[in-house]
Amino acid sequence: MPSNDSALRGTGAAPELWGAVYMMLVFALFSRAFHAWMQYSGQPIGWQQTLEVGIPLVLCPAPLLMGIAFRRLIKSELSKGQLTQRTFKICNFWIAQLVILAYITMVI
């Protein structure tokens, strides 16, 4: 029997959203790498240009890592009984949505 709780509507799609998060990470990395490739193609680059290209590529997984860390935290709180299953489902769903939004803003 489906739940009538409006807050849980759509939370069943959380695994698919997390899959989209990983795809967005790959897309963001490729777009940044392609942009750098086009900017410096055929030219020798120094250490300053390496930093300009390298730092954004290293920082690109940061939203995903923060989302995974928070998800792991709420999962441990759930296993300790300090969080309800309903709250975990809602938070897991919204964490994935926020990380996707972070990657969309990163690419734009």
Side-chain angles (χ1 to χ4, degrees), residues 3 5-8 11 78 83-92:
S3 173
D5 191 357
S6 63
L8 291 176
T11 59
L78 177 68
L83 195 67
T84 65
Q85 183 71 29
R86 177 183 182 270
T87 306
F88 173 76
K89 286 181 180 181
I90 293 168
C91 288
N92 188 34

Side-chain angles (χ1 to χ4, degrees), residues 10-52:
T11 59
E16 289 85 2
L17 283 176
W18 280 104
V21 166
Y22 291 111
M23 287 189 292
M24 292 292 289
L25 170 65
V26 170
F27 180 74
L29 283 172
F30 279 138
S31 76
R32 286 177 182 251
F34 181 73
H35 177 71
W37 177 271
M38 296 306 290
Q39 185 177 2
Y40 297 113
S41 64
Q43 302 171 5
I45 60 173
W47 66 274
Q48 292 170 335
Q49 289 85 11
T50 304
L51 289 177
E52 289 175 13

Side-chain angles (χ1 to χ4, degrees), residues 52-70:
E52 289 175 13
V53 172
I55 290 177
L57 289 177
V58 170
L59 293 178
C60 204
L64 175 65
L65 296 176
M66 294 293 289
I68 289 173
F70 188 63

Side-chain angles (χ1 to χ4, degrees), residues 73-85 87-88:
L73 173 71
I74 63 171
K75 197 178 279 191
S76 71
E77 294 296 318
L78 177 68
S79 67
K80 292 177 189 174
Q82 297 177 349
L83 195 67
T84 65
Q85 183 71 29
T87 306
F88 173 76

